[in-house]
Amino acid sequence: AEQQRIVAKLDAAFAEIDVAIETADKNVENSKMIFQTLRNDIYQKVADTAPNVELETIAKLSRGHNPPKSKFIDIPKDGYVRFYQIRDAKSDKFATYVPDDSKLHKVTERDFLMNAYRYVGEVFRGVSGAFNVALCKLSIIDFEKVNEDYLYYMVPSHLIKGELLKTSARSLIPSMSVKELAKLKVPIPSFQEQKEISTKIIDVEQQQIVLLNIYKEKLYQLTNLKSAILKQELQSEAA
């Protein structure tokens, strides 16, 4: 009877916590969706008014190269360079290094790396080294005509990522070719307008990051609360 009483008490407390966790999870997803929607709306308005050009006219595009896996190491070493794969977009936890070689396809910090396989359209930047064939490099041709932030935030929008997903919809695993990417039409307004647009998007993104951190902290606290309640109950019964 005492065991049943303790279990009922814990179940009631945990049920309320689970509801709160589910709400926080939904808030995280809603925050991401709101940012994506706002970004798409901004770029759509630009696409409706600004000149549209093929992507290959403003950026050089290329897929990566895969050296033999037998050459991979997981610690930095003289004569080796960082080798970027899809998983490296979100974490350096599984950093890989390969021998520097003329066959490698290199990336610099001013280039963008976009997933060209499975998670098509997800993009990251600010890295240097080499990259594999599952990634596509975008290098702006003229930085006086194309603002880096403007193009960077456009890649995961419906104008680029959305169109690429449409063309790969029939595949079991989404993938894209450089030819498909090169021919996509993208809006290029004046450089000043590009800066204003990117500033607006960055401001929204910063607000989203603040919200995400609040929700993630709440999730962390709620998860720890379960352990704390269980520990307290056990200690109480032991006493």
Side-chain angles (χ1 to χ4, degrees):
E2 182 64 12
Q3 293 175 25
Q4 290 178 337
R5 184 191 68 77
I6 294 170
V7 170
K9 183 178 179 180
L10 291 174
D11 282 346
F14 288 175
E16 291 184 11
I17 295 173
D18 286 339
V19 171
I21 288 174
E22 184 179 354
T23 300
D25 273 330
K26 287 181 180 178
N27 286 338
V28 168
E29 292 308 311
N30 288 341
S31 176
K32 293 177 181 178
M33 288 297 296
I34 289 170
F35 174 69
Q36 292 169 8
T37 300
L38 288 172
R39 180 184 56 202
N40 284 341
D41 288 346
I42 289 170
Y43 279 114
Q44 187 56 54
K45 289 177 182 177
V46 183
D48 292 339
T49 57
N52 284 260
V53 302
E54 291 182 347
L55 186 58
E56 65 180 352
T57 65
I58 62 168
K60 295 179 181 178
L61 313 168
S62 61
R63 293 286 287 268
H65 168 73
N66 288 353
K69 286 193 174 181
S70 59
K71 304 285 187 180
F72 290 13
I73 63 173
D74 57 8
I75 55 174
K77 184 179 178 180
D78 288 344
Y80 281 66
V81 297
R82 178 72 186 271
F83 185 64
Y84 288 92
Q85 305 171 71
I86 287 178
R87 67 188 183 187
D88 298 314
K90 297 180 179 178
S91 171
D92 289 326
K93 187 176 180 180
F94 303 103
T96 301
Y97 303 86
V98 296
D100 199 352
D101 188 284
S102 60
K103 293 181 181 179
L104 294 175
H105 292 190
K106 300 290 186 67
V107 58
T108 69
E109 292 185 358
R110 295 199 79 178
D111 298 324
F112 308 151
L113 285 178
M114 185 193 78
N115 292 349
Y117 177 77
R118 193 178 292 275
Y119 307 105
V120 171
E122 294 187 13
V123 64
F124 62 107
R125 59 178 171 176
V127 300
S128 61
F131 61 105
N132 76 354
V133 72
L135 296 169
C136 178
K137 180 177 73 173
L138 290 82
S139 304
I140 294 174
I141 295 172
D142 188 343
F143 287 96
E144 293 184 358
K145 292 184 178 179
V146 179
N147 178 271
E148 292 176 70
D149 291 330
Y150 174 79
L151 182 58
Y152 177 75
Y153 285 99
M154 189 195 299
V155 174
S157 77
H158 69 300
L159 296 182
I160 296 181
K161 177 181 177 178
E163 291 301 314
L164 291 174
L165 289 176
K166 285 180 185 178
T167 61
S168 63
R170 292 185 295 273
S171 303
L172 291 177
I173 300 177
S175 63
M176 52 127 301
S177 71
V178 170
K179 287 184 178 179
E180 292 170 345
L181 181 62
K183 296 301 178 182
L184 289 183
K185 295 289 185 70
V186 295
I188 303 296
S190 69
F191 191 81
Q192 181 59 35
E193 189 174 351
Q194 291 176 47
K195 288 175 65 177
E196 292 171 359
I197 290 167
S198 59
T199 298
K200 185 186 299 184
I201 293 173
I202 290 171
D203 286 344
V204 173
E205 183 184 49
Q206 291 303 313
Q207 294 176 46
Q208 182 219 18
I209 290 172
V210 171
L211 284 174
L212 284 176
N213 288 337
I214 291 172
Y215 296 142
K216 287 177 180 178
E217 177 62 22
K218 188 172 183 178
L219 282 168
Y220 175 78
Q221 291 176 355
L222 287 168
T223 302
N224 285 345
L225 183 58
K226 278 190 172 184
S227 298
I229 290 174
L230 180 59
K231 183 178 179 179
Q232 183 180 22
E233 185 64 28
L234 292 174
Q235 288 176 341
S236 176
E237 292 302 318

